[in-house]
Amino acid sequence: MAECALAADLGLVGPDLGERVAALLARFDLPVRLAADISFDRVLRAMAYDKKAAGGTQRFALPAGLGTMAASGDQWTVVAEASRIRKALASLSTD
């Protein structure tokens, strides 16, 4: 869900993709919101250890549509700033 929100914020997809994915996940009783006790700072710190993080930047494999991945040049990952990551996480908050 966070990837859909981030992709929408970056203009890679429309907001309807997140809605479609949320509806599908809900059909299988899978979570579509973050738990209230999730710390965005802690999530961002943990992301620094992700294999796609390099040189202080966060890269994400993001959708360009249902079943289609966004590309940036010859990379299948897209750079996103911390402020956009926070915004995507906040959109999933239960608060």
Side-chain angles (χ1 to χ4, degrees):
M1 292 304 311
E3 289 89 351
C4 288
L6 184 56
D9 188 49
L10 292 170
L12 300 173
V13 298
D16 61 314
L17 180 65
E19 294 166 4
R20 290 176 66 190
V21 171
L24 180 62
L25 292 173
R27 285 179 54 195
F28 292 98
D29 293 322
L30 295 170
V32 295
R33 297 273 176 225
L34 291 176
D37 61 346
I38 296 291
S39 162
F40 297 168
D41 289 330
R42 190 171 173 194
V43 170
L44 288 171
R45 281 193 306 272
M47 285 180 174
Y49 297 99
D50 185 84
K51 66 183 177 186
K52 294 179 296 300
T57 62
Q58 299 295 329
R59 299 188 70 86
F60 294 86
L62 297 176
L66 196 57
T68 306
M69 297 306 295
S72 178
D74 63 347
Q75 299 285 317
W76 288 101
T77 57
V78 178
V79 173
E81 301 83 22
S83 62
R84 289 184 184 261
I85 299 166
R86 282 180 185 279
K87 184 177 177 183
L89 292 171
S91 74
L92 304 177
S93 179
T94 56
D95 292 340

